[in-house]
């Protein structure tokens, strides 16, 4: 089969299209013929091994996972002997987690990490959901967001941000979205009640206070983020960002400071780690099929153009999701 492989950390040019063996499902796995995949900030971090401290988890000298990509949608081709809830021919979507492998014609994935594809989405749209959607869901859950709550989403035009705005709106929250000028109309169309254009205004110096701040960028200090919280508000940290030449700790610094500060202040500070799994995917499907949530796709590339797609993602402030058609 064809797959995008990487044998050393580096720029998008280190990603190559190669012939590799088609995987064989283990007893608790399903073999999926990939129809679409999607890029996340995680993917360029893993590609570059950036920040360098992340290599402790990704692989010290080279990527531990040779085939890139987490999010996918496709058709089940075969199932392992212990698989009970998925059958050949099923249309599914999912997130492979740190195992990676979605930028390929076939992938093996544990049964617990796939769910039925939303019936009203194309494979490309479904592939845009898993990691970003689960991150948005878990972040809003951490903030205990419900009707009447005031939520600020910093990075509202990104993959997680566009879904967080819609999901928070669906919960009855009042949403303030922070984005650049070119994305103001987009986030308003997704349901944002207020929009802060960060090229003109600074949300940290206005008079609004929020029950939850969902930081998806990692470009502001903890003091600035906490300044706009209510006395009992929650700050959820889940930074992504764009590539700026490499770093030692990158957003890990803000996350580490958040962990250290959390026990010492009255605000709740949550460092978010999205955990892939069927339960959250099923929740996303319910929201999508009800019409409350829809993925936003910026650009689509064929499998052999994954390097170009990655370059666009890490440098050009992609709007929402970049997807790959396999």
């Amino acid at each position: 089969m064809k797959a995008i492989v990487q044998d050393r950390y580096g720029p998008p040019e280190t990603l190559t299209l190669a012939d590799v063996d088609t995987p064989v499902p283990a007893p608790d796995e399903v073999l999926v013929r990939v129809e679409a995949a999607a890029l996340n900030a995680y993917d360029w971090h893993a590609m570059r091994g950036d920040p360098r401290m992340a290599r402790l988890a990704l692989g010290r000298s080279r990527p531990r996972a040779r085939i890139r990509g987490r999010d996918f949608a496709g058709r089940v081709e075969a199932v392992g002997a212990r698989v009970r809830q998925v059958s050949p021919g099923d249309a599914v979507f999912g997130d492979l987690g740190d195992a990676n492998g979605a930028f390929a014609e076939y992938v093996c994935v544990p049964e617990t990490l796939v769910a039925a594809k939303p019936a009203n989405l194309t494979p490309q749209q479904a592939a845009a959901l898993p990691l970003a959607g689960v991150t948005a869901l878990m972040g809003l859950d951490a903030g205990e967001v419900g009707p009447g709550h005031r939520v600020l989403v910093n990075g509202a035009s990104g993959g997680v941000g566009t879904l967080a705005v819609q999901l928070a709106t669906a919960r009855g929250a009042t949403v303030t979205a922070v984005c650049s000028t070119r994305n103001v109309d987009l986030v308003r169309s997704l349901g944002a009640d207020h929009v802060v254009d960060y090229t003109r205004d600074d949300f940290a110096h206005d008079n609004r206070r929020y029950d939850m701040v969902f930081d998806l960028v990692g470009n502001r200090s903890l003091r600035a983020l906490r300044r706009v919280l209510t006395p009992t508000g929650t700050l959820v940290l889940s930074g992504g960002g764009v590539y700026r030449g490499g770093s030692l700790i990158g957003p890990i610094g803000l996350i580490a400071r958040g962990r250290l500060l959390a026990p010492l202040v009255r605000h709740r500070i949550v460092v978010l780690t999205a955990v892939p799994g069927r339960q959250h995917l099923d929740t996303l499907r319910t929201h999508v099929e009800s019409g409350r949530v829809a993925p936003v796709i910026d650009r689509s590339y064929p499998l052999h153009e994954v390097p170009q797609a990655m370059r666009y993602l890490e440098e050009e402030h992609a709007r929402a999701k970049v997807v790959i058609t396999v």
Side-chain angles (χ1 to χ4, degrees):
M1 70 171 186
K2 299 289 185 183
I4 295 293
V5 303
Q6 182 185 25
D7 294 311
R8 62 182 177 87
Y9 290 120
E13 290 73 25
T14 60
L15 304 176
T16 59
L17 184 68
D19 289 307
V20 300
D21 292 337
T22 301
V24 177
D28 61 347
E29 291 183 332
V30 299
L31 175 68
V32 177
R33 179 171 60 82
V34 179
E35 296 176 307
L39 275 62
N40 297 282
Y42 169 93
D43 295 309
W44 73 255
H45 284 295
M47 175 188 73
R48 294 211 178 243
D50 180 75
R52 288 187 291 280
M53 281 195 65
R55 298 184 186 188
L56 296 174
L58 299 172
R60 290 178 179 269
S61 59
R62 63 181 181 178
R64 188 173 292 116
R66 188 171 182 238
I67 301 175
R68 296 268 63 81
R70 290 182 56 154
D71 288 348
F72 67 91
R75 291 269 176 188
V76 176
E77 290 282 310
V79 301
R82 292 201 295 266
V83 171
R84 295 292 180 268
Q85 299 187 50
V86 182
S87 302
D90 288 353
V92 297
F93 72 130
D95 171 8
L96 290 160
D98 292 339
N100 287 257
F103 300 158
E105 292 178 320
Y106 293 89
V107 67
C108 279
V109 56
E111 178 187 21
T112 55
L113 298 185
V114 299
K117 180 183 75 67
N120 56 338
L121 294 188
T122 66
Q124 290 75 22
Q125 292 171 315
L129 279 174
L131 179 55
V134 170
T135 302
L137 278 175
M138 293 185 66
L140 296 174
D141 285 346
E144 300 178 350
V145 173
H149 286 187
R150 293 161 293 176
V151 175
L152 180 135
V153 180
N154 185 30
S157 63
V160 179
T162 52
L163 292 167
V165 168
Q166 295 177 76
L167 288 165
T169 299
R171 293 186 181 202
T174 299
V175 180
T176 296
V178 182
C179 63
S180 64
T181 306
R182 75 183 182 115
N183 295 318
V184 167
D185 290 341
L186 169 64
V187 296
R188 279 190 178 137
S189 73
L190 299 176
D193 300 279
H194 310 285
V195 181
V196 177
D197 178 351
Y198 67 74
T199 68
R200 300 177 180 178
D201 301 298
D202 184 354
F203 70 82
H205 290 94
D206 65 22
N207 295 320
R208 292 193 181 101
R209 294 295 178 266
Y210 303 95
D211 301 294
M212 173 189 169
V213 170
F214 201 171
D215 180 48
L216 302 169
V217 186
N219 64 345
R220 304 304 299 266
S221 68
L222 288 174
R223 177 178 295 181
L225 294 168
R226 290 178 56 225
R227 184 183 297 132
V228 298
L229 285 172
T230 63
T232 58
T234 300
L235 170 61
V236 177
L237 301 173
S238 181
V242 295
Y243 182 66
R244 301 191 186 282
S247 64
L248 176 62
I249 60 174
I252 295 175
L254 179 67
I255 288 170
R257 291 191 293 274
R259 289 189 189 277
L260 290 172
L261 186 62
L264 306 176
V265 297
R266 59 181 175 178
H267 292 136
R268 290 181 63 238
I269 300 177
V270 178
V271 175
L272 187 64
T273 300
V275 180
R278 180 182 295 129
Q279 180 179 353
H280 287 304
L281 295 174
D282 286 340
T283 300
L284 286 171
R285 184 179 68 251
T286 299
H287 281 293
V288 169
E289 291 183 344
S290 70
R292 291 188 292 267
V293 173
V296 179
I297 295 175
D298 183 351
R299 296 188 182 186
S300 178
Y301 294 81
L303 181 63
H304 69 275
E305 291 185 2
V306 165
Q308 293 93 312
M310 197 75 78
R311 176 75 69 188
Y312 176 69
L313 175 72
E314 69 172 1
E315 294 184 356
E316 299 298 333
H317 293 278
R319 303 172 71 180
K321 298 297 294 185
V322 176
V323 300
I324 304 300
T325 300
V326 181

